[in-house]
Amino acid sequence: MHTKTYKVKGMHCASCASIIERTVKKIDGVENISVNNGTENAKISFDTNKTNTESFNKKLEPLGYSLEISESEHKEHLGLNQSKKEKLAEIKEMKTKVISALPLAVISVFVMSWEILAQYDAVAEMSPVIEEFFHHLLPLLATYVLFVVGKPYLLGFYRFLRYGKANMDTLIGIGTLTAYLYSFAVTAFEDVLKPFINTESTYYDVTIIVITFIALGKYLEAKSKLKTGDAIEKLLNLQAKTALVIRDPEGKPASYGAGGKEIEIPIDQVVHGDLIIVKPGAKIPVDGTITEGSSFVDESMVTGEPMPAQKKVGDTVIAATINTSGSFTFKATKVGSETLLAHIIKMVEEAQGSRAPIQALADRISSVFVPIVLVISFVTLLTWLFLGSLFVPFSQALSFGLVSFVGILVIACPCALGLATPTAIIVGVGKGAKEGILIKDAATLEKLHKVDTVVVDKTGTITVGKPTLVDIKNFSNLKDEELISLIASLEKKSEHPIAHAIVNYAQGKSVTITDVASFESVQGKGLKGWINNLEYFVGNVKLMQDLGISFDVSKIEEFTAQGKTPVILATKEKVLGFVMVADEIKKQSREAIADLHKLGIKVVMLTGDDEKAAKYIAKQVGIDDVVAHVLPADKLGKIKELQEKGHIVAMAGDGVNDAPALAQAAVGIAMGTGTDVAIESAGITLLGGDISKLVKVIKLSKITMRGIKQNLFWAFIYNIVGIPLAAGLFYPIFGWLLSPVFAGFAMAMSSVSVVSNSLRIKSKKL
C-alpha cells in the first residue's frame, strides 16, 4: 500500500469532494481516500501493483476533475510551490470574468429596479423606445454571461445528464439555463405563446445577476481560501535558498586540505557529508553538526527561547535557524525532506488536510443534499403548475413556478457547508504553527476543547529538566564567590551532573576556578583535594560524618524536603558552608497552571521522584493532585484510572519515555525541544517545551471549535431559511417569494461569510 497526496483541480464544493471520493473508492486497488474541500487535496492509499494516478484521472476527468501530485510529495520544499502559482493564475482568470460580468449585472439590476419601482408608481414607466432597446440588449448580455462566465455551470449540467453525477455547478447550470431558455422561447415565439403565458416577463436579468453574484462569491472565496494557507508559505520562506559548501574540483564534498573550494549552491543540491560554511547573519541551510568554529545561534523558531544558544564543535544546528555572531563550519547530516523544518512543514500540511470528526455530519448531509435539492426544485415547479394554477392564472403560476425552481437550485448550493470545517481547521493549525504549537490532525484539535484534566510530567515540563545551583549557605569568613570558587574547583574534575551544575554556575558568574592538587574521589560520598596548601572536602552528609566533622543536619533538612541536593564544603576542622542543587521550576509554570484553572481544567502531576519533593513543587505552582514514585507503565495506569472516572484527559510529557501514557490519553502533548521523536509520538508538540503553550493550544482548540460551529450555523441557516422561502411556502400567507437574484447573492455571501469567519481565528489572542 502506498499513500499519496494529490492537488485536486476542478473542485468547488462538498458535493464535488463526495463525488471524487465515491468514484475513486470504486477503483480496484484503492484502500482509502479522503478529499478536503478546504485545502483542495485528496489523500489516497492504494496498491501500486493494481492502480496508479493515470487510472484515477481516467475516471475523474470526464466528471471535470483531475489529480496532480502535490508539491510536498515530490519536491524538497523550495520557495513558493507550483500549486500556489497555479492557484494565483486561476484566481486571476476568475477576476477577469467577474470584471467583465459586473457592468452587465449593474445594467440588469438597473432595468429590474426600474420595472419594480414602476409597478408601485415610484417612477415613470419606461418609454417604448428604451423598453425595446433593453428588450434586445438583455438577451445578448445573458448569452455572453451564461456561455462564457457561466461555462463551468453548463458543463456541470452536461456531466449530470451524461454521468448522473450532480454537484454545485449542476444546480447553478440547471437553474440559470432554465431561466435563459424560458426567456429565449418567450422572446422568439412571443406571438404564439401570448394566449397561454405572460410574455412580458423574461428572466434574462436573473441569468446575468445570479451567475455574476456566484462568480464574484467564488472569486472572493478563492482569494480568502488562499489566505487560510499562509502558515505553510511562511514556514517555506524560513528556509535558506542557497548554501556555501566546500567541494573538490569534481564537485564532491571535500575539506580545504583536500583541495576543496568554497562554492555557493542551491539548497536542494546539498548532500549528506557536505561541509557548509555559515557566516554571521546567515540562515543555516540544513541540519548538521559543527566541525569547526563557534557562534551564538538564534533558535527561537524551534525552541521559542529568545536568547541565542551558544554552539561549539560537536553541537547540532538546525535548518532555518540564524547564525548571529561568529563563523563556523558544519557537516550536513539531514538534508531536504529529512530536516526538522521539513518535518514541521509536512506535519502542518497533513494536519490542515485532515478531517475533524465534526465534519462527518456536514459530509453526510452534502452527499445527499444535491439530489434532494433537485427533487425539491422539480416538485416545487410541478406544484406551482398544477396546484398553483387553481388559485392564480396559469401564466402567473408558471412564472412563480419558474422563479421558485431557479431560486431553490441557486440558494441550496452546499458550498458553505463544505467549507465550514476545513477553513477553520486550516487557519487554526496555521495559527498554532506560528506560535510553536504543532498539531498532528484535526481530530486532535477537536478532542482538546473537551479536555477537563491535564496530566503533566514534573521533569522537563514543570521544571527545567536539568540541575541548577539554587541556594548558597555560608558559615565562614569567606565571601560567597570564594566559597563557590573552592567547591567548583574541586567539582571541575567530576563527571556527575550535580558537579556540572556547580561549575556552570561558577562560569556564569565569572568566578575563578583554580587548580587542585592531590585530587581524590571518595566513592558515593564526595571529593577531596588541596587548594593553595589547604586540604578541602566537598560532598554529602555521610562524608562529613566519616571525617568526624560536627554538622547540624537540621540546617539542610528544610532544603532536602524540597527535593534539593546539598553539596557541603569543609576543611578537616569545620564545615564552611553548603550549596543546594535542584531541578529549577520553569518561570512560566505558575502562571500556566493558574490559566488552566481559569479554563476549568484540573492539573495532576505524575513523577518518578520522591513524594516530598514532588508535593513541594506542586504546592509552589498550584497543582491540584500529585502521584509520585511512578514508572512509565504506572503513568499509563493512572491515565486509565482518570478516564474510568469519566474525565477527558490530556497528557503532557517529553514524548519519549512517556509514550505509552501519551498514546492512552485523549490528547497526547509532547513538550518537544524540537526532536523528531517528540513530533512523531504525540498529537500535539509544543516546540521549546514551554508549558504556557499548553494553555494556548487549549484556547486555540476552543476558539477553532467555536468558529466551526458558527460556520455550520451560517451554512445551514442560509439553506434552512432559503429553500422554503424560494419554494414559495410563505407566498399564500405573506405573499413572499424569493427572487433567484437574492438567492444567488445569499448563496455567494454564505461561502464568503464562512471563510471570513474562519479567518477571524487568525486575529484572536491566545
Side-chain angles (χ1 to χ4, degrees):
M1 280 294 161
H2 190 71
T3 301
K4 270 189 179 175
T5 303
Y6 296 89
K7 270 282 168 214
V8 184
K9 290 187 99 176
M11 185 164 73
H12 308 298
C13 63
S15 49
C16 292
S18 179
I19 289 168
I20 294 163
E21 283 183 356
R22 288 201 305 271
T23 307
V24 174
K25 221 172 239 176
K26 286 176 188 166
I27 297 170
D28 185 39
V30 173
E31 187 190 67
N32 196 23
I33 173 170
S34 171
V35 181
N36 188 303
N37 183 30
T39 55
E40 293 177 3
N41 278 349
K43 196 175 181 181
I44 308 175
S45 299
F46 59 97
D47 185 341
T48 47
N49 297 322
K50 291 183 179 177
T51 188
N52 53 30
T53 309
E54 286 72 34
S55 312
F56 305 149
N57 280 334
K58 204 179 273 182
K59 291 280 185 187
L60 290 172
E61 279 166 0
L63 305 176
Y65 312 109
S66 65
L67 302 178
E68 292 176 354
I69 293 177
S70 92
E71 209 62 19
S72 59
E73 279 287 317
H74 60 72
K75 242 189 153 187
E76 304 292 10
H77 288 300
L78 272 180
L80 198 67
N81 60 33
Q82 193 60 31
S83 59
K84 171 89 185 271
K85 287 180 181 169
E86 284 174 10
K87 198 74 201 157
L88 287 168
E90 194 184 312
I91 288 172
K92 195 177 175 187
E93 191 186 332
M94 288 166 92
K95 186 181 178 182
T96 308
K97 284 185 176 176
V98 168
I99 288 170
S100 72
L102 273 173
L104 315 186
V106 169
I107 294 167
S108 303
V109 169
F110 169 72
V111 175
M112 188 194 286
S113 306
W114 193 338
E115 285 175 349
I116 291 167
L117 291 169
Q119 279 176 22
Y120 295 100
D121 299 325
V123 294
E125 286 200 6
M126 282 186 198
S127 68
V129 177
I130 295 172
E131 199 173 330
E132 192 64 20
F133 170 71
F134 284 126
H135 187 70
H136 289 95
L137 178 67
L138 286 178
L140 296 173
L141 302 186
T143 303
Y144 167 77
V145 172
L146 179 66
F147 292 100
V148 177
V149 183
K151 188 182 172 187
Y153 312 120
L154 294 179
L155 285 171
F157 180 36
Y158 162 74
R159 291 185 190 111
F160 170 62
L161 293 176
R162 183 152 182 205
Y163 304 104
K165 300 274 199 282
N167 63 5
M168 178 197 119
D169 291 353
T170 311
L171 300 182
I172 305 295
I174 295 173
T176 51
L177 185 65
T178 305
Y180 176 83
L181 292 176
Y182 171 84
S183 306
F184 186 78
V186 167
T187 309
F189 309 106
E190 191 174 348
D191 296 335
V192 179
L193 296 170
K194 211 168 205 172
F196 309 102
I197 58 172
N198 179 8
T199 53
E200 285 177 21
S201 291
T202 57
Y203 298 102
Y204 292 120
D205 46 11
V206 167
T207 304
I208 296 165
I209 300 168
V210 165
I211 288 175
T212 305
F213 270 152
I214 286 162
L216 176 63
K218 280 167 79 76
Y219 164 68
L220 294 173
E221 178 196 306
K223 258 185 86 172
S224 303
K225 267 168 80 175
L226 208 60
K227 277 188 201 160
T228 61
D230 281 352
I232 292 286
E233 196 186 323
K234 285 196 169 85
L235 285 170
L236 285 167
N237 289 337
L238 286 173
Q239 300 171 112
K241 304 291 180 279
T242 59
L244 192 61
V245 299
I246 304 168
R247 293 270 175 98
D248 64 17
E250 290 174 22
K252 289 176 184 166
S255 60
Y256 281 123
K261 277 199 334 196
E262 281 182 32
I263 58 162
E264 193 165 6
I265 58 168
I267 191 174
D268 60 335
Q269 289 176 21
V270 175
V271 295
H272 293 117
D274 257 328
L275 288 174
I276 300 167
I277 298 159
V278 184
K279 294 186 175 171
K283 276 185 184 175
I284 293 163
V286 294
D287 295 1
T289 309
I290 295 180
T291 56
E292 193 185 316
S294 65
S295 182
F296 285 86
V297 175
D298 178 358
E299 294 188 322
S300 55
M301 174 206 91
V302 171
T303 63
E305 292 295 323
M307 293 296 290
Q310 188 173 11
K311 297 286 179 180
K312 53 190 186 304
V313 173
D315 288 343
T316 55
V317 288
I318 297 165
T321 56
I322 299 164
N323 179 25
T324 61
S325 50
S327 292
F328 61 86
T329 304
F330 76 96
K331 188 178 189 176
T333 56
K334 290 180 179 177
V335 299
S337 60
E338 303 164 345
T339 66
L340 177 65
L341 181 68
H343 267 282
I344 292 172
I345 291 170
K346 190 165 189 287
M347 190 174 174
V348 173
E349 276 183 337
E350 283 180 358
Q352 289 187 335
S354 64
R355 285 184 180 183
I358 196 170
Q359 196 177 333
L361 169 71
D363 287 348
R364 279 200 301 275
I365 292 169
S366 297
S367 63
V368 295
F369 203 68
V370 175
I372 288 171
V373 166
L374 281 169
V375 171
I376 291 172
S377 58
F378 279 105
V379 167
T380 303
L381 177 60
L382 296 171
T383 305
W384 271 112
L385 291 179
F386 293 107
L387 280 179
S389 57
L390 300 176
F391 302 98
V392 294
F394 178 77
S395 61
Q396 198 178 356
L398 175 63
S399 180
F400 284 167
L402 196 69
V403 165
S404 299
F405 176 75
V406 176
I408 290 168
L409 291 174
V410 169
I411 201 164
C413 295
C415 216
L417 201 55
L419 292 169
T421 305
T423 51
I425 293 291
I426 291 165
V427 177
V429 168
K431 188 174 175 69
K434 275 190 206 162
E435 297 271 359
I437 297 164
L438 300 183
I439 297 156
K440 203 168 204 173
D441 54 38
T444 301
L445 195 62
E446 182 175 332
K447 276 185 222 159
L448 193 59
H449 91 288
K450 293 178 183 169
V451 163
D452 59 14
T453 305
V454 170
V455 174
V456 292
D457 184 34
K458 177 178 82 72
T459 309
T461 303
I462 299 296
T463 62
V464 175
K466 59 181 180 186
T468 313
L469 194 153
V470 289
D471 287 299
I472 303 165
K473 289 289 172 201
N474 190 347
F475 309 131
S476 67
N477 297 325
L478 299 167
K479 289 178 181 169
D480 283 358
E481 286 82 7
E482 291 171 315
L483 189 82
I484 296 291
S485 173
L486 291 167
I487 299 172
S489 298
L490 283 158
E491 294 284 8
K492 181 91 164 73
K493 301 225 171 190
S494 169
E495 285 302 310
H496 197 282
I498 286 175
H500 286 304
I502 294 167
V503 173
N504 287 343
Y505 179 86
Q507 288 171 338
K509 297 281 182 187
S510 303
V511 170
T512 309
I513 295 175
T514 54
D515 291 332
V516 178
S518 307
F519 175 84
E520 199 181 316
S521 175
V522 184
Q523 193 64 41
K525 293 169 192 171
L527 315 159
K528 64 178 182 174
W530 291 77
I531 300 171
N532 299 332
N533 302 319
L534 254 177
E535 189 176 22
Y536 291 98
F537 301 86
V538 68
N540 55 23
V541 174
K542 211 163 183 359
L543 178 65
M544 301 302 130
Q545 288 168 344
D546 288 359
L547 293 167
I549 299 167
S550 65
F551 178 63
D552 183 0
V553 178
S554 65
K555 287 178 178 172
I556 62 167
E557 279 175 350
E558 176 200 338
F559 295 101
T560 53
Q562 297 169 9
K564 296 173 182 176
T565 304
V567 178
I568 306 163
L569 176 72
T571 60
K572 266 192 170 159
E573 293 80 35
K574 61 176 180 176
V575 168
L576 301 174
F578 63 82
V579 293
M580 282 288 169
V581 175
D583 185 2
E584 205 176 3
I585 293 169
K586 286 182 181 176
K587 291 186 187 79
Q588 55 284 48
S589 292
R590 284 182 193 85
E591 196 182 340
I593 303 299
D595 287 342
L596 286 170
H597 286 151
K598 281 179 199 164
L599 292 169
I601 291 168
K602 181 184 177 184
V603 186
V604 178
M605 184 166 82
L606 296 187
T607 178
D609 280 4
D610 170 70
E611 190 169 358
K612 265 188 182 175
K615 282 191 169 168
Y616 174 78
I617 284 171
K619 194 178 174 188
Q620 291 289 300
V621 295
I623 283 171
D624 303 295
D625 196 5
V626 177
V627 185
H629 297 301
V630 284
L631 299 167
D634 301 332
K635 289 183 181 181
L636 175 67
K638 185 65 186 173
I639 301 281
K640 284 182 178 173
E641 190 186 310
L642 286 163
Q643 288 172 331
E644 279 159 16
K645 287 178 184 170
H647 292 291
I648 297 166
V649 183
M651 163 83 187
D654 63 14
V656 185
N657 63 359
D658 293 319
L662 288 170
Q664 177 63 34
V667 180
I669 300 166
M671 308 297 289
T673 45
T675 61
D676 296 352
V677 181
I679 291 173
E680 292 305 320
S681 68
I684 289 168
T685 302
L686 307 180
L687 292 180
D690 181 351
I691 192 172
S692 64
K693 286 179 182 168
L694 181 58
V695 183
K696 286 184 176 180
V697 73
I698 292 171
K699 282 185 181 171
L700 178 65
S701 169
K702 288 179 185 291
I703 289 165
T704 307
M705 288 311 297
R706 202 179 306 133
I708 289 172
K709 285 170 184 171
Q710 288 165 349
N711 286 351
L712 287 170
F713 168 78
W714 285 114
F716 279 121
I717 207 77
Y718 276 104
N719 292 331
I720 290 165
V721 174
I723 292 174
L725 191 58
L729 215 61
F730 300 110
Y731 183 76
I733 313 162
F734 305 111
W736 294 350
L737 258 186
L738 182 70
S739 158
V741 169
F742 289 109
F745 179 73
M747 182 252 152
M749 285 305 103
S750 69
S751 294
V752 174
S753 60
V754 159
V755 178
S756 305
N757 190 49
S758 294
L759 286 168
R760 279 176 56 236
I761 295 169
K762 273 188 182 179
S763 62
K764 297 282 183 187
K765 279 208 170 95
L766 299 181

